[in-house]
Amino acid sequence: MPEIKEYLFGKTLAELTEIAGTLDLPKYTGGQLAYWLYKTDIDSFDGMTNVSKKTRNILAEHYDVGVQAPVNVQESTDGTKKYLFRAGSGKFIEAAYIPDGKRHTLCVSSQVGCKMGCLFCMTGKQGFQGHLTTGEILNQLRSIPERKEMTNVVYMGMGEPFDNLDAVMKSLEILTAEYGFAISVRKVTVSTIGIVPAMRVFLEKSKCNLAVSLHTPFDEERRRLMPIQNVYPLKDVVETIREFDIGKYRRVSFEYIMFKEVNDTRRHVNELARVLNKVKSRINLIRFHPIPGTPLLGSDEAAIADFQQALNDKGIVTTLRASRGQDIDAACGLLSTKELVKAQTLE
Amino acid sequence: MKRNLNLNKVKVSRQTEIAPGVFVLSFPRPWDFSAGQVLGIGTHATDEARLYSIASGELDDEVDVLYSINPGGKLTPWLSKIVTGDNIWVSEPFGSFTGTDDPAWWIASGTGIAPFSAMFRSGLTAGKKLIHGGRDLNSFYFNKDFSGFFKEKYVRCCSRDSAEGIYDGRITKYLSELPQLPANEKYYLCGSAEMVVEVRDILIEKGIPFDNIISEIYF
């Protein structure tokens, strides 16, 4: 059985420099490695042409590069692509690439499955199979052909990013650092259901955008839709955001899936206006994409338009997210690798 | 990274291994709480707290915490070595997965029984039925208390072992086989994400309005 070596892909510059020191390599090797790992397409040490052969041999003795190609891709009629990656034995994750004119967005996963059990989410139905490493998160960007076109990265795929905070924070560093992928913090958004302590760490340490899954401003309704409400209620989430000075560069948005006759009434508009009073933010309405066995229905188009208008009239900037990739189950809330995980388990 | 739950030092009064790798840790109760609430536990004041449901009653002198060792975890291997007189760091209780006097089904897997133990020990037992799932016969924590009180309204579902009086199979199989469930009662679920979403799907399929299903998840 071949020896499994630690991967270099997913290490920060500080970690790469430390590794170079541990292996008695010149300190600048850390910077060279970061360049090859995050700014080029090489997938082996042989391609690192400005690194000496001797150094490459030492590195290859102890480490693997750790870049993994997707194992499958599906393409939607609207141009959206859903990439499938392996993430450890018998585990899979998905990432969605969404082109829209000059804007190219990659929706990445942070966990295999999800623990949060939201009533409306397909990923939640597969349960939780594990956290992704920093390398596995970034590999979703690094290994797809559209990598160089990417303008935006959103952490809205499988899993709850703030339940895997350390790996996600490291990935944000590498994604936005000059030595890394050098994507502007204004083009990166992390979505959470509102794990307050971890969200606070994110707001303190990162300048990336934040999106919070809100879905109803009423506590009792929210805890039926999202069990997290029992532990971290919306009021704590909003109060935490209020504590931070959300400058003009960081955007905070609240995601709101529209469920017919559940959360699409005028009562909800009024309560949203009250709850979000003086929070510099916007609301992003999302059409519901029904999942098997769900008791929920999507609001009709007229109700969505009325709701959006009513919120805008209240002074809350409200947009409606376009549904993309629905025909390949790449749209919001539809990512799942449950069947693949099951199949691997049975093999 | 600090997860910013304020943790205060408490002295452990007792720790008992009630099943292989499963412990009840106790310390004098420093605050009031509502049965069903959670607390954060850490190894020091600025530690990244992990959340656990309180298993003791609202008026008990001591707070009991039920946990199982997660071998790869940061906290529980350390916690399992704690002895009487050692310190641990805990947050104040919080959370709204709390019990009421209304009729309800309590459905738990593994250590997800903890909030229902707290509700039971707080006297919130009227009109309740308790369904507990476990892999083996050692998994039915506090079963003597429950079976003595609930009698036939306490159902143990065991997926790997068989024994008289124990349902042979998972909770999901047990619930699926029930011909009918009362639609106007509340259903409280606590356990792994897999259990919660599977049971919730079964309840909805059997006609329970999702408004009547309240879930607590481990994370």
Side-chain angles (χ1 to χ4, degrees):
Chain A
M1 201 172 175
E3 184 195 355
I4 297 172
K5 295 174 191 166
E6 198 177 340
Y7 292 161
L8 288 182
F9 186 78
K11 304 278 188 202
T12 63
L13 177 58
E15 289 170 331
L16 293 169
T17 304
E18 192 185 328
I19 286 168
T22 310
L23 296 176
D24 283 331
L25 302 173
K27 271 200 168 174
Y28 60 76
T29 308
Q32 289 178 318
L33 287 171
Y35 170 81
W36 289 109
L37 291 169
Y38 304 127
K39 299 205 182 285
T40 75
D41 292 329
I42 62 101
D43 56 9
S44 73
F45 292 112
D46 291 341
M48 299 180 176
T49 50
N50 69 347
V51 177
S52 73
K53 181 89 169 120
K54 185 180 162 198
T55 296
R56 279 186 265 155
N57 287 340
I58 292 170
L59 287 167
E61 204 178 307
H62 296 88
Y63 292 94
D64 274 333
V65 171
V67 175
Q68 317 232 21
V71 291
N72 194 18
V73 58
Q74 291 174 270
E75 184 161 3
S76 162
T77 51
D78 67 16
T80 299
K81 289 183 184 174
K82 186 168 75 170
Y83 286 97
L84 181 73
F85 294 91
R86 279 189 187 278
S89 175
K91 297 174 188 170
F92 296 88
I93 51 153
E94 293 177 329
Y97 162 66
I98 309 154
D100 181 18
K102 288 183 180 170
R103 186 184 169 102
H104 299 261
T105 302
L106 186 68
C107 177
V108 297
S109 296
S110 55
Q111 295 178 315
V112 188
C114 185
K115 296 177 198 167
M116 301 300 146
C118 297
L119 182 62
F120 45 82
C121 179
M122 195 63 192
T123 306
K125 278 186 179 278
Q126 84 176 65
F128 174 74
Q129 284 85 44
H131 295 297
L132 295 190
T133 62
T134 302
E136 287 168 334
I137 294 171
L138 293 170
N139 183 63
Q140 297 165 68
L141 170 64
R142 168 66 173 73
S143 297
I144 62 172
E146 297 83 2
R147 168 202 168 174
K148 287 182 178 144
E149 297 163 43
M150 214 61 68
T151 59
N152 295 64
V153 176
V154 295
Y155 287 63
M156 296 182 183
M158 298 169 64
E160 162 55 43
F162 289 166
D163 187 41
N164 187 15
L165 185 67
D166 293 336
V168 165
M169 291 300 287
K170 248 172 74 175
S171 73
L172 292 173
E173 177 189 324
I174 296 167
L175 202 55
T176 58
E178 275 306 312
Y179 74 78
F181 291 90
I183 294 177
S184 164
V185 290
R186 297 162 70 175
K187 302 291 184 186
V188 178
T189 301
V190 181
S191 177
T192 179
I193 61 169
I195 298 179
V196 171
M199 188 177 81
R200 185 181 289 277
V201 172
F202 167 81
L203 288 168
E204 284 169 357
K205 311 255 181 197
S206 170
K207 290 185 164 51
C208 294
N209 299 321
L210 176 70
V212 176
S213 296
L214 196 158
H215 308 315
T216 174
F218 294 107
D219 289 351
E220 273 306 301
E221 274 179 13
R222 196 166 185 265
R223 73 183 188 133
R224 264 58 166 182
L225 296 171
M226 307 167 70
I228 192 71
Q229 175 74 16
N230 285 315
V231 181
Y232 296 118
L234 181 62
K235 79 171 169 48
D236 290 358
V237 176
V238 173
E239 270 171 29
T240 304
I241 292 169
R242 269 207 189 94
E243 275 176 41
F244 287 82
D245 181 23
I246 305 300
K248 60 181 175 181
Y249 296 118
R250 190 205 302 264
R251 177 185 288 178
V252 172
S253 56
F254 291 94
E255 293 162 345
Y256 198 96
I257 302 176
M258 299 290 295
F259 302 114
K260 187 175 186 176
E261 293 167 7
V262 172
N263 67 352
D264 60 357
T265 70
R266 195 50 67 113
R267 192 171 64 91
H268 290 86
V269 170
N270 293 337
E271 185 64 6
L272 280 170
R274 193 188 68 77
V275 168
L276 300 182
N277 184 33
K278 292 181 183 163
V279 180
K280 281 186 208 163
S281 62
R282 60 176 60 202
I283 291 179
N284 196 2
L285 301 180
I286 302 169
R287 293 180 184 87
F288 177 50
H289 306 112
I291 57 174
T294 180
L296 300 163
L297 298 169
S299 303
D300 55 45
E301 289 298 316
I304 294 173
D306 283 352
F307 199 81
Q308 183 178 6
Q309 186 61 51
L311 285 169
N312 279 319
D313 290 347
K314 293 267 185 194
I316 302 173
V317 176
T318 305
T319 54
L320 174 61
R321 183 186 296 172
S323 289
R324 300 289 305 273
Q326 213 172 335
D327 55 333
I328 55 167
D329 288 341
C332 183
L334 295 183
L335 297 182
S336 172
T337 54
K338 183 177 184 177
E339 292 309 314
L340 282 168
V341 171
K342 211 193 288 176
Q344 292 282 316
T345 310
L346 293 173
E347 267 176 14
Chain B
M1 282 175 199
K2 184 174 184 291
R3 263 58 165 183
N4 215 44
L5 276 181
N6 288 322
L7 303 180
N8 295 302
K9 189 164 66 177
V10 294
K11 202 177 277 292
V12 169
S13 44
R14 199 171 337 108
Q15 165 133 268
T16 313
E17 187 168 13
I18 62 168
V22 180
F23 296 79
V24 174
L25 178 148
S26 308
F27 58 87
R29 179 165 61 87
W31 18 248
D32 291 334
F33 72 99
S34 298
Q37 286 191 307
V38 300
L39 52 70
I41 302 181
T43 61
H44 53 272
T46 56
D47 196 8
E48 170 189 337
R50 299 278 186 233
L51 304 186
Y52 294 89
S53 295
I54 297 169
S56 47
E58 292 172 353
L59 300 178
D60 291 353
D61 292 336
E62 293 188 328
V63 174
D64 290 346
V65 177
L66 171 70
Y67 70 92
S68 57
I69 295 182
N70 171 8
K74 291 175 188 167
L75 180 69
T76 53
W78 174 83
L79 211 53
S80 67
K81 303 280 191 295
I82 291 287
V83 296
T84 302
D86 286 350
N87 293 321
I88 61 168
W89 280 257
V90 301
S91 75
E92 293 202 352
F94 61 103
S96 60
F97 184 76
T98 47
T100 70
D101 288 322
D102 299 328
W105 289 49
W106 292 342
I107 304 173
S109 62
T111 54
I113 196 70
F116 303 124
S117 168
M119 294 174 198
F120 170 76
R121 287 165 65 173
S122 301
L124 300 169
T125 50
K128 303 299 190 298
K129 180 161 184 166
L130 175 60
I131 321 289
H132 190 192
R135 286 182 184 169
D136 54 51
L137 297 173
N138 289 320
S139 309
F140 301 109
Y141 320 122
F142 316 127
N143 70 81
K144 283 183 185 148
D145 298 336
F146 294 139
S147 56
F149 182 86
F150 283 118
K151 313 287 185 202
E152 75 284 357
K153 288 184 175 174
Y154 171 48
V155 178
R156 283 165 282 179
C157 303
C158 193
S159 57
R160 290 189 184 164
D161 293 340
S162 298
E164 195 182 336
I166 308 266
Y167 178 81
D168 192 1
R170 299 176 66 214
I171 288 180
T172 44
K173 181 166 168 269
Y174 171 77
L175 290 169
S176 297
E177 287 172 0
L178 291 178
Q180 210 175 344
L181 292 168
N184 56 350
E185 293 189 7
K186 300 286 185 196
Y187 293 78
Y188 288 80
L189 321 182
C190 185
S192 67
E194 289 86 341
M195 184 284 267
V196 165
V197 296
E198 284 178 26
V199 167
R200 192 174 57 196
D201 281 356
I202 290 166
L203 296 178
I204 288 168
E205 198 181 303
K206 286 184 168 285
I208 308 302
F210 75 87
D211 274 353
N212 286 353
I213 306 170
I214 301 120
S215 312
E216 180 91 316
I217 41 163
Y218 297 155
F219 73 94

